Amino acid sequence: MLLEVLLALVLGAVVLLVLRRSKAAVLKTEDGWWGAGSPPAGAEDESIRPFRVETSREEIEDLQRRIDQTRPVPSLEDSQFNYGFNSTYLQKVAAYWRNEFNWSKQVDKLNQYPHFKTKIEGIDVHYVHVKPKNLPEGRTAVPLIMVHGWPGSFYEFYGILPLLTEPANADDVAFEVICPSIPGYGFSEAPRKKGAWTRLGVPQARAAGVAIANMRLCSGRPGFNSVCAARVFLKLMRRLGFGRFYAQGGDWGWQITTNMAQLDPTAVKGLHINFAPVENVGPLVILSILLGRRFPGLFGFTELDVKRLYPRVEKMLVEPLKETGYFHIQATKPDTAGRGLNDSPVGLAAYILEKFSTWTDHEFRNLEDGGLERKFSLEDLLTNVMIYWTTGSITSSMRFYKENFAKGFYPPHARIPVTVPTGVAAFPNELMHTPKLWAKQKNHKLKTYTTMARGGHFAAMEEPGLMAQDIQKFIKVVEGKK
Amino acid sequence: DAFSENLPTKALQELDRPKLQLLALSSVGIGLTYFLVWRRKAKKSIPLGDGWWGHGQQTLRDDNKIYPFKVETSEDEINDLHRRIDQMRYTEPLEDCGFQYGFNSNYLQKVVSYWRNQFDWKKQVAKLNEYPHFKTNIEGLDVHFVHVRAPHRPGQKVLPLMLVHGWPGSFFEFYKILPLLTDTKDDLAFEVICPSIPGYGFSEAPHKQGFCSLDAARIFLKLMERLGFNKFYLQGGDWGSLITTNMAQMKPQCVSGLHLNMLAVTKGGVGMLLSLIIGPYLPFLVGFTREDVRRLFPYFEKNVYDLLMESGYMHIQGTKPDTAGCGLNDSPVGLAAYILEKFSTWTDRKNRDLEDGDLEKKYSLDDLLTNVMIYWTTRSIIPSMRFYKENFKTNPQNRVDARTGIFVPMGHAAFPNELMHCPLPWARWRFKDIRSYSYMPRGGHFAAFEEPRLLAEDFVKFVRKVEGKKR
């Protein structure tokens, strides 16, 4: 009798598991048009045009004039970076920017790699295309797309590009890298269309099959969100002649490359991510949160996992609340939030660089200078800021948050797993820590999971060597298996 | 029957003299104890505390003098503003987005053009100076206030009143209601004090961390004391509502009455949950009126979803005020967009769907921009934002004032488009002596600015009720 019951239970569990797996649908999407007005009749211009970053004396003088016009407000005594960017240190950064930073020189640095633009779905998409210079006979470069996040840019990858395209080690893979700019960021044109949502009452929502669990009961066409960006980047890779390629990303880059793998699993050979927040909190994750401290071995929790996740309330509620104010205002009122930052370069720098401080290490909040120059040079940091400043793209970059959270925190792609080989590089100071068990819930083909020695959110910029090493490790596992 | 009727008398008759005395004494004793305990419980207040917010260490004693103050401007100030407005770098809005993504860039250009070419700051400064301004140093900070006396009319009773503003408002919000309260023709008038919260406008900003509503309340109590007022009325909305409530909790004996146009529900608990579940179906069972139901439900959409949509500013100001305000202090256009977005959306949430946010329906651009100029010319946007962080540092639900009731006479004017609605049964959890609760016919968050007459009428109605009961 007992044996039969046990057998039935096991069978039931297997059936459930199989059913769950088979529900793993492919992410669907529709085409879009993001240019001004209506799409023109006829085929889209698919030409690829070379692009050079340029500047002018007017641009630099205007910047310097605005920096001179800054009206600083002293920070509270002994507040360091706890109230945001410290005023005293900000004056130092502004002085450097005004007197020593050489934008012309940085523009030359940006142009050391070839840039291009091409029109996709009505908007100009910018990207950098880097091919290895010295490829040995008979070897082909492996195509790789690397996607940035907010408040970063393609420039974050300039440190790691040489390590990937000209690896020192003979048996390392040499990559051909595409670094696009997300539409609305930097040199990529911003989408002109918003999401068209109609609000539904509960009975209408039920009839339309919209999940009530979604915070916003609505139906309609989404605005330019990560799935749209993924679709655009898939088109880009196809246009460039890459049938199969690898993808790498952190922050929004993680979301977009994940969506690419969900939209077209055959095109994405492998997915390497350095950011992997849990979107779909299932029973296993909840169980591990409840019991993980007492029984870490049961869930495969390492020492780092326990340190980063507990005490629960502080690490999973209070800390995120302290750091997500920008997220909240950008996801609701991006045009208001970005308005002042587009006129005040110092305000823009404070807003962006605060993240480069706090997201590299939370402890930096207690330092007078936010520890900013410990891991980055002011030159590199301000070059990234200049990309937002000279293109006036801060507001459109913020709109991306609103478009992605229009349907609440539980959009369709959050429920669909990733079925391409995935590698996770877990940096110890990343904003949200994801233990291996949690990463496996979403990424069903997790090939590598590495606890990195050091580094925070802007991993590619902060620790390019470590990141390149892990990408090589991941590629070898995926290619080796073939 | 005869037996029960005579029991007490029979019992008393059986007691001898000493026992009778003991009974009488103990009855009086119990009665007295009960009375004293009840009285002490009723007069519960929160501790006053103390503070010092100036630079460095406190060295000198407070200078208690009150100095007259005039708002001033200069050609340099106006030229600098114009130069910065001209330097605005326009960002195209998404097509057809109204105010859903924040302040619409197209409409902003119209506002900015008016500001640049027609707005007359010198004239507005003269308007500000129509009432006498003063400054006095309290706890190391120069506190600014407007002091409006009622013209002497025979047979008129003049009561002192303090009006406290909120964010992103200022003392200027009260300029339309001031004449309605001070210059009345009937038997009741008010002598009004409109201070600026330290860190806002012409009040000096605290230099030390930790300045929260309790500190502002204590400073305003000291101000009233310094001005010679022993008993006064209080009125406030937004932060003003919390500060005046704290004042009534600190020194209830000084507060004749407390009138609020915004009530935040703090301690909900089981009672609130029950009333939310039962309320839409059997409102009378939980003390809701039909109007309550209309304003509260659908609860999730109006109070959770809508609040999430509208509280981004609160979240960033409550965590990173120095970052949030930095750009706004260099870009007047950015500052105007940030502040005026609230004057649009918090007046009526439906304004989010309109291209111009219907901003000029209830307000004139002159008035709106004068309020913005107060933040601009005093560079107080960052300190004004810090107030949010200081108040949210400790869990607001656990702070001493959230756990203490309010026992002074209270009146509430519930405006239909206020950010959140608080029905009378909920208000009763904390306010133990509610004398007036009115459903206002129209108006939103900036009640004194938008509907001064309605607010004044309700306030006077409340005062009459309180004064009437006194006699």
Side-chain angles (χ1 to χ4, degrees), chain A residues 228-260:
Chain A
C228 301
R231 191 180 63 235
V232 166
F233 289 164
L234 282 170
K235 286 186 182 177
L236 174 66
M237 292 305 265
R238 229 171 281 140
R239 193 174 290 184
L240 293 175
F242 297 117
R244 301 197 73 211
F245 50 87
Y246 286 90
Q248 203 288 331
D251 198 83
W252 279 128
W254 148 73
Q255 185 65 275
I256 294 172
T257 50
T258 298
N259 288 157
M260 286 170 81

Side-chain angles (χ1 to χ4, degrees), chain A residues 34 191-197 216 221-225 328-339 394-407, chain B residues 91-105 309-310 337-338 341-342 344-345 349 351-355 357:
Chain A
W34 309 100
R192 308 287 181 107
K193 304 267 186 285
K194 64 165 184 139
W197 293 110
R216 182 166 185 173
R221 188 195 68 225
F224 193 85
N225 59 16
H328 195 162
I329 199 173
Q330 289 171 202
T332 50
K333 313 279 183 187
D335 282 27
T336 298
R339 184 62 260 160
I394 185 64
T395 299
S396 47
S397 77
M398 291 179 168
R399 284 184 194 143
F400 200 56
Y401 282 78
K402 189 173 171 90
E403 304 298 17
N404 276 297
F405 295 102
K407 271 196 127 180
Chain B
T91 304
E92 216 176 283
L94 294 173
E95 295 172 6
D96 297 316
C97 65
F99 261 59
Q100 288 159 12
Y101 285 69
F103 205 108
N104 186 288
S105 274
M309 283 295 286
E310 294 305 321
Y338 200 91
E341 182 218 280
K342 303 310 176 200
S344 162
T345 307
R349 260 167 280 204
N351 289 344
R352 287 182 298 214
D353 296 327
L354 302 173
E355 193 72 21

Side-chain angles (χ1 to χ4, degrees), chain A residues 192-320:
Chain A
R192 308 287 181 107
K193 304 267 186 285
K194 64 165 184 139
W197 293 110
T198 15
R199 302 292 298 279
L200 300 174
V202 172
Q204 295 152 293
R206 282 217 176 89
V210 175
I212 307 296
N214 277 348
M215 227 172 350
R216 182 166 185 173
L217 303 179
C218 42
S219 73
R221 188 195 68 225
F224 193 85
N225 59 16
S226 63
V227 178
C228 301
R231 191 180 63 235
V232 166
F233 289 164
L234 282 170
K235 286 186 182 177
L236 174 66
M237 292 305 265
R238 229 171 281 140
R239 193 174 290 184
L240 293 175
F242 297 117
R244 301 197 73 211
F245 50 87
Y246 286 90
Q248 203 288 331
D251 198 83
W252 279 128
W254 148 73
Q255 185 65 275
I256 294 172
T257 50
T258 298
N259 288 157
M260 286 170 81
Q262 291 170 314
L263 281 172
D264 195 352
T266 49
V268 182
K269 278 166 90 171
L271 175 68
H272 183 272
I273 51 182
N274 50 296
F275 186 59
V278 177
E279 300 160 287
N280 201 353
V281 183
L284 195 56
V285 173
I286 294 176
L287 211 67
S288 67
I289 293 176
L290 292 172
L291 302 174
R293 198 183 209 173
R294 278 277 187 80
F295 310 105
L298 207 64
F299 304 102
F301 279 2
T302 63
E303 221 177 278
L304 177 68
D305 291 333
V306 175
K307 186 173 92 118
R308 286 296 314 264
L309 295 176
Y310 302 93
R312 268 185 301 261
V313 174
E314 184 192 314
K315 300 270 165 82
M316 296 189 206
L317 190 64
V318 176
E319 268 304 316

Side-chain angles (χ1 to χ4, degrees), chain B residues 328-340:
Chain B
L328 304 183
N329 205 38
D330 294 339
S331 163
V333 176
L335 181 69
Y338 200 91
I339 291 178
L340 297 183

Side-chain angles (χ1 to χ4, degrees), chain B residues 148-164:
Chain B
V148 189
R149 288 177 217 269
H152 181 71
R153 291 212 163 86
Q156 197 180 52
K157 181 159 81 163
V158 178
L159 297 168
L161 162 68
M162 174 180 267
L163 301 174
V164 186

Side-chain angles (χ1 to χ4, degrees), chain A residues 35-37 62 65-66 69-79 81-85 87 90 191-195 199 215-216 320-326 328-329 332-337 339-344 346-348 350-351 354-355 358 365 388-390 392 395-396 399 402-403, chain B residues 54-56 80 83-84 87-97 99-103 105 108 206-210 300-301 305 307-313 315-316 319-324 326-331 333-334 337-338 341-342 345 352 375-377 379 382-383 386 389-390 393:
Chain A
D62 173 73
R65 196 167 37 239
R66 288 174 192 259
Q69 284 180 348
T70 308
R71 306 195 314 168
V73 173
S75 288
L76 294 174
E77 293 170 11
D78 295 317
S79 58
F81 261 64
N82 286 304
Y83 283 67
F85 208 106
S87 176
L90 185 60
R192 308 287 181 107
K193 304 267 186 285
K194 64 165 184 139
R199 302 292 298 279
M215 227 172 350
R216 182 166 185 173
L321 266 176
K322 275 192 191 164
E323 292 303 324
T324 46
Y326 80 98
H328 195 162
I329 199 173
T332 50
K333 313 279 183 187
D335 282 27
T336 298
R339 184 62 260 160
L341 305 183
N342 207 36
D343 294 343
S344 162
V346 174
L348 180 69
Y351 199 91
E354 183 219 282
K355 302 310 174 200
T358 308
R365 285 182 300 212
Y388 281 91
W389 174 256
T390 55
T395 299
S396 47
R399 284 184 194 143
K402 189 173 171 90
E403 304 298 17
Chain B
H55 278 297
D80 173 74
R83 195 168 37 240
R84 287 172 194 262
Q87 283 180 347
M88 165 191 168
R89 305 199 316 168
Y90 173 72
T91 304
E92 216 176 283
L94 294 173
E95 295 172 6
D96 297 316
C97 65
F99 261 59
Q100 288 159 12
Y101 285 69
F103 205 108
S105 274
L108 183 62
H207 303 272
K208 305 262 188 296
Q209 298 174 52
F300 192 81
E301 170 167 330
Y305 175 74
L307 229 66
L308 267 173
M309 283 295 286
E310 294 305 321
S311 52
Y313 80 100
H315 195 165
I316 199 174
T319 50
K320 313 278 182 182
D322 285 20
T323 300
C326 193
L328 304 183
N329 205 38
D330 294 339
S331 163
V333 176
Y338 200 91
E341 182 218 280
K342 303 310 176 200
T345 307
R352 287 182 298 214
Y375 281 91
W376 175 255
T377 56
R379 309 181 182 204
I382 288 181
R386 284 183 192 145
K389 189 176 170 89
E390 305 294 19
K393 255 185 180 164

Side-chain angles (χ1 to χ4, degrees), chain B residues 225-242:
Chain B
E225 198 182 314
R226 195 172 287 185
L227 292 171
F229 298 115
N230 297 322
K231 253 196 152 240
F232 42 84
Y233 281 88
L234 296 171
Q235 204 290 327
D238 198 81
W239 281 127
S241 160
L242 180 59

